[in-house]
Amino acid sequence: MGLVQKDALRTMIISYAGIVLGYLNKGFLFILILTTEQIGLVNLIYSVGILFAQFANMGTIYTTWRFFPVFRNESRRHHGFLPLMILFVLTGIVLCTLATFFFRHEIEQSYLEKSPDFVTYYVWFIPIGISTVFFLFFEVYLRSLYKNIISVFANEIVLRLALTVILGIYWLKWISFSNFVMLHSLIYFIPVCMLLVYMVRIGEFNIRLSSIRISKRFRKILLKSSSYFYINTLGLVIVASLDVVMLAQMDGLESTGIYSTVLFLASALQVPYKSIIRVTAPLVSDHWKNRQFGEIQSLYVKVSSVALTIGLGLFLFTWLNIEFLFSFLKPEFASGIWVFFFIMIGRIFDMYCGINSSIFTSSKKYKYDVYFTVSLILIVYFLNLLFIPIWGMNGAAISTSIALVLVNLGRLIFVWNILKMHPFTWKQVTVIFTGLLTLTFGTFIQGYIQQGWILFFCESILVLTMFMLPVYYLKLDTEIVNYTNKILAVIFKRSRK
């Protein structure tokens, strides 16, 4: 896990710096400068743009991740893999742009009653979609070359700084809200330009069609695989965006603004997990290529244990202090507290399942993952139809969590039946029990302490003493303990100088 720890730490540091900027933007400036309806509109435009990107990528994201190691060869310019995939992406962008205008009337009619402002700014999700699809493709291409840092920096730092700038310009009333929406859509091209410049500098931006040296047989394999991965990619993002899109249709922009803001706050808890996955996914693909099943099993267990421990610890700290943290937001955002809880239940389980999706889609059985992806979409869609009219934004959160739990259970069972791999250990049971015990005690003391800052201090100490310290001293997660020891050794070494 040496490479994983090193790159994951770097990406995690950058990501958390981005989270700080993101909280400044969406957790403070958005709430300070924009109305709840405007927040909902901007986030809805973004969500629809992300859906556009996933329809337009034509499956190239997972195809690159799975097959690029096979064609990777610097002296032969990777057999022209990059220009071939770019052709796929350009085809997808053209088709989706045409479909956007062809079905414009039908899409606008579905939002006209509850979210009429979306109709006014309809076309501005297209720049977000086009820039996002190129960014996602270039990012996964660089990840396959073990170049992780630049894409994280561009997306987490530079993009969010650009958002801060345009928020400031709008706050100073130098531009109208319409201009703000336009600029917000265009700034997503900045990370794409950065990745393009970086790829040119390292000699990886080869787009000559004449360099394509992939045989017709392999092209058919890539095309067939792309169709399967296309559906899988759609599923993951549809689940992430469908709740926002349907909530805007069924409950209006105000609920969408609160819901999408809470989703962003919850995403901070997944930063360590995403940093690890960003590094381990290419390793899984390489291990499959080299038939190193023991290495895959080892990664499976380690990633699951680390993700469970970190995710549960961050959730406990946040949930036990949730009312204190929400007190810094506008009063109407208090209705999103239980959205956070329900969303995190599903996400923690998703984190606990580790790299089961990476193992699945890297194996020869990747085609079967289509069934799980379609199931995921259908579960979220029909549960949203059922729950949103009853519970509003809480219903959307419950739907997403149920879907994540059910589909991950299915994948776990399938991977075990086919590959005889699972990520579970008895120490993880102790981690879960310790977490539940901490949650129980933390909830209990809330009835006796009313002062916000004092309760925040007590709950934080409780999580440290009842959860984090037992994990460390009982060595419930070896990777976390070893990494903590390395950090402590560096600190003590420097303090003695």
Side-chain angles (χ1 to χ4, degrees):
M1 290 275 284
L3 172 64
V4 175
Q5 287 180 347
K6 185 177 180 181
D7 268 13
L9 177 62
R10 290 175 178 174
T11 55
M12 188 170 65
I13 291 172
I14 295 172
S15 296
Y16 268 118
I19 286 292
V20 172
L21 286 170
Y23 185 81
L24 173 66
N25 292 332
K26 293 197 172 184
F28 179 68
L29 294 179
F30 261 51
I31 297 171
L32 177 67
I33 298 171
L34 305 177
T35 66
T36 308
E37 289 80 5
Q38 287 174 333
I39 294 172
L41 175 63
V42 171
N43 287 328
L44 175 61
I45 292 171
Y46 172 77
S47 295
V48 178
I50 296 301
L51 284 176
F52 178 100
Q54 298 307 324
F55 277 103
N57 79 69
M58 302 294 285
T60 54
I61 310 301
Y62 276 93
T63 300
T64 301
W65 169 47
R66 187 175 190 272
F67 288 104
F68 182 73
V70 177
F71 297 101
R72 187 168 56 210
N73 187 318
E74 290 186 17
S75 62
R76 297 187 179 183
R77 297 186 176 182
H78 312 303
H79 301 277
F81 189 88
L82 179 63
L84 181 62
M85 291 297 104
I86 288 178
L87 284 177
F88 282 13
V89 169
L90 290 174
T91 302
I93 288 173
V94 171
L95 292 175
C96 287
T97 302
L98 292 174
T100 295
F101 287 101
F102 186 79
F103 295 105
R104 179 172 184 169
H105 177 72
E106 289 77 8
I107 296 171
E108 288 181 343
Q109 286 299 310
S110 66
Y111 286 95
L112 199 55
E113 182 181 352
K114 294 290 185 178
S115 305
D117 286 344
F118 177 68
V119 176
T120 305
Y121 299 99
Y122 177 80
V123 298
W124 288 103
F125 70 80
I126 298 176
I128 295 177
I130 293 174
S131 57
T132 300
V133 69
F134 276 115
F135 177 81
L136 291 173
F137 171 67
F138 290 145
E139 179 200 25
V140 76
Y141 184 80
L142 288 170
R143 280 169 58 186
S144 298
L145 295 168
Y146 302 110
K147 307 290 186 182
N148 294 290
I149 307 301
I150 181 64
S151 56
V152 181
F153 179 75
N155 198 53
E156 302 291 339
I157 303 296
V158 177
L159 177 61
R160 287 174 175 172
L161 282 174
L163 179 56
T164 305
V165 170
I166 65 171
L167 279 167
I169 294 172
Y170 175 65
W171 181 62
L172 292 171
K173 298 182 179 180
W174 292 354
I175 57 174
S176 64
F177 180 70
S178 297
N179 295 137
F180 171 79
V181 172
M182 296 174 190
L183 288 174
H184 176 264
S185 298
L186 295 174
I187 61 174
Y188 287 89
F189 282 100
I190 296 175
V192 178
C193 293
M194 290 181 64
L195 295 194
L196 280 173
V197 171
Y198 179 75
M199 291 172 68
V200 170
R201 288 188 62 183
I202 64 174
E204 287 292 343
F205 191 64
N206 166 46
I207 56 173
R208 294 178 183 175
L209 297 181
S210 60
S211 67
I212 299 176
R213 293 289 187 270
I214 299 174
S215 65
K216 290 184 179 180
R217 173 176 168 270
F218 266 113
R219 290 186 197 183
K220 289 181 180 179
I221 293 174
L222 289 175
L223 186 61
K224 187 177 180 180
S225 300
S226 293
S227 63
Y228 288 105
F229 293 137
Y230 180 59
I231 298 174
N232 285 335
T233 305
L234 281 177
L236 294 174
V237 178
I238 285 175
V239 169
S241 304
L242 191 61
D243 45 5
V244 174
V245 173
M246 293 184 70
L247 194 61
Q249 289 178 325
M250 302 170 71
D251 209 30
L253 287 177
E254 183 174 353
S255 295
T256 306
I258 296 170
Y259 185 85
S260 55
T261 301
V262 175
L263 283 185
F264 170 76
L265 299 177
S267 67
L269 278 65
Q270 286 193 291
V271 168
Y273 170 70
K274 289 181 178 179
S275 299
I276 294 170
I277 292 297
R278 187 186 298 272
V279 179
T280 55
L283 292 177
V284 172
S285 185
D286 274 350
H287 291 327
W288 269 112
K289 174 186 173 183
N290 299 318
R291 315 296 289 176
Q292 297 171 320
F293 300 116
E295 294 294 329
I296 296 175
Q297 172 64 38
S298 178
L299 267 180
Y300 199 10
V301 173
K302 289 177 180 179
V303 171
S304 176
S305 296
V306 171
L308 171 67
T309 305
I310 295 177
L312 195 53
L314 291 173
F315 169 73
L316 288 169
F317 173 81
T318 306
W319 179 248
L320 292 175
N321 293 300
I322 193 71
E323 292 187 3
F324 175 76
L325 296 173
F326 269 68
S327 67
F328 294 97
L329 305 178
K330 289 180 180 178
E332 57 262 36
F333 282 88
S335 60
I337 286 178
W338 283 99
V339 169
F340 176 85
F341 177 83
F342 291 124
I343 281 292
M344 283 312 303
I345 296 301
R347 289 189 177 184
I348 288 174
F349 190 79
D350 184 48
M351 293 163 68
Y352 184 28
C353 292
I355 54 174
N356 66 348
S357 180
S358 300
I359 294 173
F360 206 152
T361 52
S362 296
S363 71
K364 292 182 178 180
K365 303 292 183 179
Y366 67 89
K367 298 177 184 179
Y368 291 96
D369 201 37
V370 172
Y371 298 113
F372 291 103
T373 302
V374 172
S375 300
L376 188 62
I377 297 170
L378 293 176
I379 292 170
V380 171
Y381 178 74
F382 286 109
L383 288 181
N384 276 340
L385 288 179
L386 179 65
F387 291 159
I388 290 178
I390 301 173
W391 295 307
M393 67 182 83
N394 289 331
I398 293 170
S399 301
T400 301
S401 273
I402 290 175
L404 284 173
V405 171
L406 291 178
V407 171
N408 272 291
L409 277 174
R411 281 181 173 143
L412 283 169
I413 294 170
F414 191 89
V415 169
W416 167 249
N417 284 335
I418 301 300
L419 304 173
K420 301 305 177 186
M421 293 183 185
H422 69 82
F424 307 124
T425 66
W426 284 109
K427 286 185 177 181
Q428 295 169 359
V429 177
T430 308
V431 171
I432 295 172
F433 177 77
T434 305
L436 291 174
L437 198 62
T438 305
L439 180 62
T440 302
F441 273 89
T443 305
F444 177 76
I445 67 171
Q446 289 176 356
Y448 295 91
I449 303 174
Q450 303 300 323
Q451 180 61 38
W453 282 102
I454 296 175
L455 181 60
F456 174 77
F457 177 78
C458 292
E459 296 284 25
S460 302
I461 294 297
L462 181 73
V463 173
L464 175 65
T465 55
M466 287 196 64
F467 183 77
M468 301 174 91
L469 288 181
V471 168
Y472 178 78
Y473 284 108
L474 297 178
K475 298 183 178 179
L476 298 180
D477 190 288
T478 308
E479 292 298 322
I480 290 178
V481 171
N482 290 341
Y483 204 68
T484 303
N485 287 336
K486 289 179 182 179
I487 294 174
L488 292 174
V490 172
I491 293 173
F492 289 138
K493 184 177 180 180
R494 292 183 177 178
S495 64
R496 291 171 183 170
K497 290 183 178 180

